[in-house]
Structures are given as structure tokens and as C-alpha cells.
Amino acid sequence: MTERTLAIIKPDAVERRLAGTIIQRIEDEAFQIRAMRRVHLSKAQAEGFYAVHRERPFFAGLTTFMSSGPAIVLVLEAPDAIRKWRTLMGATDPAKADAGTMRKEFAQSIERNATHGSDAPDTALYEIGYFFAGVELV
Ligand code: CMP
């Protein structure tokens, strides 16, 4: 079933000029890029995006990092896109990520972990809507 997911190339990867390489990998894996934009989140915008994690001990550090510089947000479409993108990213902690995954190759730590992907259909809907209006998905 064709599905959409929200992907983020996080500030660490943008700063290290890895965006082009990551977008190439997305296209090589046959995702359709339905929308893409460069954003520099405010702290409040990062807190809104990660609201489900607000009770976690890492919430303050995560939202400070995510608002520390520009990121690139994308809507990816493919059959089984949510799982497919999470498999390509690898485990959240790069120390646990499989060889060949983007976090294994590009992440520096569990916080500076290069990319984000929605974890379920309901979160994908929320996350896509957080950044894009329907008319922007083309
Ligand atoms: P992401 O896929 O963007 O979803 C939530 C983020 O929180 C996650 O990637 C990590 O960057 C971050 N995160 C999760 N667990 C921890 C942790 N134990 N310490 C610091 N950051 C974490």
C-alpha cells in the first residue's frame, strides 16, 4: 500500500553537508519526494514537533539541538514508506545501527543522529501536517 512519511535531515547532517548524499540515497531507494523544504525551527516549534517526548529526560537537549541550525523536511512516498524509511535510517542509537544504514554512516550520537522518520501512520499524519499543507504535496 502506498504510504507517506515525514523525513528530516537534521541540523548535524545539514551542517556537515550530507544533505545531498542523503537525498540521493532516498531517490536510489525509489521513494517519491512529494515535498521538501529547508527550515530553521525555533525552540518552541521543535518542542511542538516532539511534544510526545516532552516528559523524557532528553527532551530539552533534543529540542535545543533541533533548533540549533537549519534542517530539511521532506515528505516521502512509497509502498510501506514508514517502515522502509526507518529501515534505511537504522537504529536511533548509531552504536546499535546496522551496517549500511544512514545512522551507522552519518550519525555522531543518539542525539546528533542525522535523520528522523515518523514511527506510525498517525504520527506521520501529524508530522506531515506540522510542516506542509495538502496543496504542497505534489
Ligand atoms: P528521532 O527519530 O528524531 O525521535 C526522537 C529523538 O530523540 C531521536 O531521534 C533521538 O535523536 C532522540 N533521542 C532518543 N532517545 C534519546 C536518548 N536516550 N538520549 C538523547 N536523545 C535521544
Side-chain angles (χ1 to χ4, degrees):
M1 190 187 73
T2 297
E3 189 176 58
R4 288 175 175 172
T5 190
L6 185 88
I8 304 180
I9 303 173
K10 294 189 178 185
D12 59 313
V14 172
E15 183 184 6
R16 294 166 66 218
R17 299 177 183 271
L18 293 167
T21 303
I22 292 171
I23 292 167
Q24 185 66 61
R25 288 281 289 276
I26 288 168
E27 295 208 304
D28 289 346
E29 296 290 332
F31 288 97
Q32 295 287 343
I33 298 173
R34 292 293 178 213
M36 177 164 67
R37 188 164 71 241
R38 185 175 158 103
V39 293
H40 188 156
L41 295 176
S42 67
K43 175 88 166 157
Q45 288 169 334
E47 288 170 352
F49 181 76
Y50 281 116
V52 291
H53 295 306
R54 63 186 169 276
E55 306 299 337
R56 304 285 192 93
F58 57 80
F59 183 68
L62 171 65
T63 53
T64 296
F65 161 61
M66 288 299 290
S67 56
S68 67
I72 297 172
V73 291
L74 310 94
V75 177
L76 307 183
E77 185 178 282
D80 204 19
I82 293 170
R83 193 160 55 99
K84 180 173 161 144
W85 174 237
R86 291 178 69 81
T87 301
L88 183 60
M89 287 194 299
T92 305
D93 182 352
K96 296 178 184 155
D98 290 337
T101 63
M102 290 191 297
R103 282 165 168 168
K104 184 69 174 183
E105 289 182 27
F106 304 132
Q108 298 170 298
S109 68
I110 195 168
E111 183 174 281
R112 299 175 67 86
N113 67 349
T115 55
H116 166 84
S118 312
D119 65 1
D122 57 334
T123 42
L125 268 183
Y126 173 77
E127 293 181 359
I128 291 169
Y130 200 80
F131 290 108
F132 298 102
V135 292
E136 295 177 284
L137 305 177
V138 295

